Amino acid sequence: MSNNQADYFQLFNLPEQYAIDVKLLEANFRKIQSASHPDRFVNAPASEKLASMQQATLSNEAYGTLKNPARRAKYLLERRGIDAVADTNTALPMDFLMQQMEWREQLDDAKQAKDIESLERLYLQLRAEAKAMEANLGELFDVTKDDVAATELTRKLIFIDKVCADIQQAIEYLD
Amino acid sequence: MAYSDKVLDHYENPRNVGSLDKNDPQVGTGMVGAPACGDVMKLMIKVNDDGIIEDAKFKTYGCGSAIASSSLVTEWLKGRTIDEAYAIKNSEIAEELALPPVKIHCSVLAEDAIKAAVADIKAKQAAKESA
């Protein structure tokens, strides 16, 4: 298996850049999924069965990566040899970390108070922040091609996604 | 994954949780974060005129190992000089808490928080001297 070298953009016939044609991504994903569907390989030799399964797995992983803005940004950086979430890199701007702390505190307080409304408000606020960051990422990756700034913003976006996931989890738990 | 007894102890009874006055010229603040797991760690140290750390407080949002790592270092920091604090290695923290390989990054976070807090207090001291 050559999953590590597989080029997710090439797989879906997309140019390697941050801004993507989501409709084209989805259409090409469905094409691959249907071409590699197990039903088509019921009577095929074992080697073809295996190959189609690997293709289906790869396209799932590739689709999930390119569809999600934070994962797409992280993947673009990986392709350039940059690990945006390296364990050894713990530095982020102080004001961003302060903001992180505040969001985490709000999340904890609302969770303890079983205040679903506050959780939902916080979630919407963070999604708006993420949206603005995603727009900026398009500029940094595709226009100014500033890898350093793109890496920092990608790290921030991954952080926000993590808080959002935790808020969602808290809401589901309380519901 | 099973946490070691020491991690559980610090997680259930974290030492020195809280904040110090960040505007106090004797207080240094270190903030670090790990995007991969979403952990955020704030470490504050109060350093007296002899360069000894008198007090240390932390606030960490993260997994048990991240909380235990920061709780442990606040205990270690008290009574040490800032240079001794700066020399603390993440491997010592990981060893003391018996952290498994997948949680080593939590000890890295704690080491980096100390270094950031020391850098902050040194910057404050330098600013005072040049004032």
Side-chain angles (χ1 to χ4, degrees):
Chain A
M1 284 242 295
S2 58
N3 264 6
N4 288 331
Q5 287 86 42
D7 178 344
Y8 295 170
F9 289 99
Q10 206 176 37
L11 186 68
F12 298 118
N13 271 323
L14 294 165
E16 183 169 338
Q17 58 181 41
Y18 181 78
I20 55 164
D21 182 341
V22 178
K23 279 201 178 116
L24 189 61
L25 170 68
E26 273 165 10
N28 287 339
F29 172 60
R30 271 196 299 271
K31 252 187 240 167
I32 296 174
Q33 284 298 81
S34 113
S36 57
H37 197 279
D39 286 355
R40 288 178 186 270
F41 295 86
V42 176
N43 299 313
S47 63
E48 276 180 39
K49 260 188 201 156
L50 181 66
S52 67
M53 220 174 68
Q54 287 173 343
Q55 182 72 356
T57 311
L58 170 68
S59 63
N60 260 326
E61 172 62 24
Y63 174 72
T65 303
L66 295 193
K67 180 123 210 268
N68 177 284
R71 290 180 63 191
R72 182 165 73 245
K74 182 169 164 279
Y75 178 67
L76 271 169
L77 290 168
E78 261 166 40
R79 305 257 309 154
R80 295 162 196 197
I82 301 167
D83 179 1
V85 295
D87 286 348
T88 47
N89 183 359
T90 60
L92 274 158
M94 186 85 147
D95 55 346
F96 180 74
L97 288 169
M98 287 290 207
Q99 177 76 77
Q100 263 315 301
M101 275 274 171
E102 272 169 35
W103 288 332
R104 287 275 165 197
E105 276 163 17
Q106 284 177 30
L107 166 56
D108 264 18
D109 291 348
K111 210 160 100 181
Q112 295 227 310
K114 302 190 186 344
D115 182 352
I116 294 185
E117 241 174 71
S118 292
L119 287 171
E120 282 169 348
R121 230 185 355 258
L122 183 62
Y123 182 80
L124 290 179
Q125 186 198 336
L126 289 186
R127 283 324 306 164
E129 294 266 354
K131 263 241 129 37
M133 286 185 179
E134 286 161 25
N136 269 336
L137 273 178
E139 178 83 10
L140 292 174
F141 272 115
D142 301 341
V143 184
T144 55
K145 304 196 191 297
D146 182 345
D147 281 357
V148 176
T151 304
E152 186 177 302
L153 196 53
T154 300
R155 289 165 60 76
K156 288 182 176 176
L157 187 59
I158 292 170
F159 244 117
I160 290 195
D161 273 5
K162 184 78 176 69
V163 185
C164 283
D166 290 351
I167 299 173
Q168 265 180 324
Q169 212 178 17
I171 292 173
E172 271 163 34
Y173 177 78
L174 291 176
D175 247 348
Chain B
M1 188 193 40
Y3 282 126
S4 71
D5 289 345
K6 277 184 182 157
V7 170
L8 281 178
D9 179 34
H10 278 280
Y11 179 67
E12 282 164 7
N13 312 291
R15 331 290 200 259
N16 309 307
V17 175
S19 288
L20 300 168
D21 176 11
K22 71 175 184 331
N23 297 318
D24 182 335
Q26 289 194 316
V27 170
T29 305
M31 281 198 76
V32 290
C37 43
D39 291 359
V40 215
M41 191 179 283
K42 180 170 77 175
L43 177 70
M44 300 182 101
I45 51 173
K46 188 174 168 70
V47 182
N48 70 17
D49 292 336
D50 302 322
I52 310 278
I53 297 170
E54 282 183 339
D55 200 2
K57 297 269 187 210
F58 84 95
K59 193 156 198 187
T60 293
Y61 284 97
C63 67
S65 302
I67 291 167
S69 295
S70 32
S71 170
L72 174 71
V73 297
T74 55
E75 284 193 321
W76 278 1
L77 288 173
K78 289 188 200 179
R80 295 200 192 195
T81 65
I82 48 174
D83 290 329
E84 285 165 354
Y86 198 84
I88 292 174
K89 292 266 170 302
N90 84 285
S91 52
E92 299 167 54
I93 301 164
E95 193 183 340
E96 174 69 19
L97 294 173
L99 296 181
V102 292
K103 291 292 175 183
I104 296 296
H105 68 271
C106 299
S107 64
V108 174
L109 210 55
E111 180 192 322
D112 287 356
I114 298 174
K115 291 199 157 53
V118 169
D120 186 49
I121 191 70
K122 284 196 168 168
K124 274 190 180 177
Q125 288 168 345
K128 201 169 78 181
E129 272 162 31
S130 68

